Amino acid sequence: MRWWISIGMLCAVGALACGDVADVAAAPRAQPTQQLSEKEAAASVDVELIIAVDVSYSMDLDELAIQREGYAQAISSKEFMQALKNGPHGRVSITYFEWAASGDQKIIIPWRLIDGPESADAVAAEIMKTPIRRASRTSISGAIYFAVPLFDDDPYRGLRRVIDISGDGPNNSGAPVTIARDSALAKGIVINGLPIMVKEPSYSTMDIDNLDYYYEDCVVGGPGSFVVPIKSREEFKEAIRTKLLMEVAGRTPQRLPVADNAKEPRVSCSIGEKIWQDRWGR
């Protein structure tokens, strides 16, 4: 079952996005029941998290800068540390890559272990020092296909495996997004989404109405998966922080469930490809 949350509802999630995660993360997490060897325990984390960030040309430089800063600040925040501390292992592994067309993905942060303020600050600094880039096309499917095998390269093993995808438009390059999504879900991977909806859709862009519905019905999936839409530039950093905290704490928004993937999508899952074909004929 998947969930949807808006910035206006964040306080209802708990204290998560209101400057204090104690109420959300305070409840004790279930401890792993399987007895692990010393070597296995040393390599265990609460979640293996892949952050997949859209850098297509539809994202302007200011949005890209705010997005980068949002992730860096969220990872080094005291709320993130609190959520981390309340996990069974008290640590997570993270990798961060940027994507655009089906064959355009670039790893910015290889797998890193975050187990406290020092390692979190190091990852945040690494994110911020990388030059910002932009590229053409939008392939959410390409991002998913690129992300899935990265889990095999992670030296740590998590209780959960999550791909966290942010983007401001529908898939218009590469394989159909639903095929890529379903392939990841079949491997037990959860996909969460951060649809960026700060611009009015226009003919000159690939933006669409109801991108949040598109992400809910065509992109995200897996147990407890959710979508946090961003509808103004002012919401960027808060939304990113909220999403990361929920992923680390293993929480989902306490809201009504969104439509299941099995139901008819409210927005066509091939709308991006159709718009591209209608405008450029290829």
Side-chain angles (χ1 to χ4, degrees):
M1 184 172 287
R2 295 173 294 115
W3 302 79
W4 171 89
I5 184 171
S6 71
I7 297 302
M9 300 171 180
L10 292 181
C11 290
V13 177
L16 191 66
C18 304
D20 181 7
V21 295
D23 291 349
V24 174
R29 295 287 306 281
Q31 298 297 318
T33 55
Q34 183 181 6
Q35 293 296 316
L36 302 177
S37 68
E38 185 176 340
K39 182 178 180 180
E40 288 173 327
S44 297
V45 293
D46 296 328
V47 59
E48 298 174 63
L49 178 61
I50 294 177
I51 300 173
V53 178
D54 180 8
V55 293
S56 59
Y57 279 118
S58 55
M59 295 278 289
D60 63 41
L61 290 173
D62 184 48
E63 288 172 345
L64 292 173
I66 294 172
Q67 184 171 241
R68 276 272 188 94
E69 195 172 310
Y71 278 109
Q73 290 181 0
I75 288 170
S76 60
S77 70
K78 64 180 182 180
E79 292 86 1
F80 188 91
M81 288 300 104
Q82 182 64 39
L84 195 69
K85 186 171 68 174
N86 281 284
H89 299 294
R91 55 189 185 174
V92 299
S93 56
I94 287 179
T95 187
Y96 180 110
F97 75 86
E98 296 175 340
W99 58 272
S102 59
D104 187 344
Q105 300 87 25
K106 180 180 179 181
I107 294 176
I108 304 301
I109 309 292
W111 284 108
R112 297 281 186 266
L113 177 69
I114 298 182
D115 56 2
E118 185 175 336
S119 53
D121 289 346
V123 169
E126 200 169 351
I127 290 173
M128 290 302 296
K129 75 179 183 182
T130 306
I132 291 174
R133 76 182 186 99
R134 299 166 76 196
S136 62
R137 304 294 293 267
T138 299
S139 183
I140 300 172
S141 59
I144 294 173
Y145 280 132
F146 181 81
V148 169
L150 294 181
F151 287 114
D152 296 333
D153 298 330
D154 186 4
Y156 300 94
R157 288 295 170 261
L159 302 176
R160 294 171 287 123
R161 287 183 165 186
V162 177
I163 300 173
D164 174 337
I165 297 182
S166 66
D168 72 340
N171 193 78
N172 63 44
S173 171
V177 66
T178 51
I179 294 177
R181 176 201 64 197
D182 294 346
S183 175
L185 301 190
K187 295 177 171 62
I189 296 165
V190 172
I191 302 175
N192 295 327
L194 189 79
I196 300 166
M197 308 166 63
V198 301
K199 299 189 188 82
E200 287 294 326
S202 69
Y203 185 83
S204 63
T205 71
M206 289 294 296
D207 299 332
I208 61 170
D209 291 318
N210 301 318
L211 183 65
D212 47 353
Y213 290 172
Y214 176 87
Y215 262 71
E216 289 164 10
D217 297 349
C218 307
V219 179
V220 308
S225 60
F226 59 87
V227 166
V228 181
I230 301 177
K231 296 187 177 181
S232 74
R233 290 175 186 263
E234 292 72 31
E235 294 176 355
F236 252 100
K237 293 180 182 179
E238 196 66 63
I240 290 170
R241 184 168 69 101
T242 298
K243 184 161 61 69
L244 286 183
L245 292 179
M246 288 193 292
E247 286 164 341
V248 170
R251 300 292 188 261
T252 54
Q254 299 302 307
R255 306 302 303 174
L256 292 174
V258 300
D260 292 333
N261 292 130
K263 296 181 180 179
E264 188 68 24
R266 290 163 290 178
V267 177
S268 170
C269 293
S270 60
I271 189 171
E273 290 87 345
K274 184 178 186 306
I275 293 173
W276 187 274
Q277 177 68 28
D278 289 348
R279 292 183 186 176
W280 289 282
R282 56 186 174 83

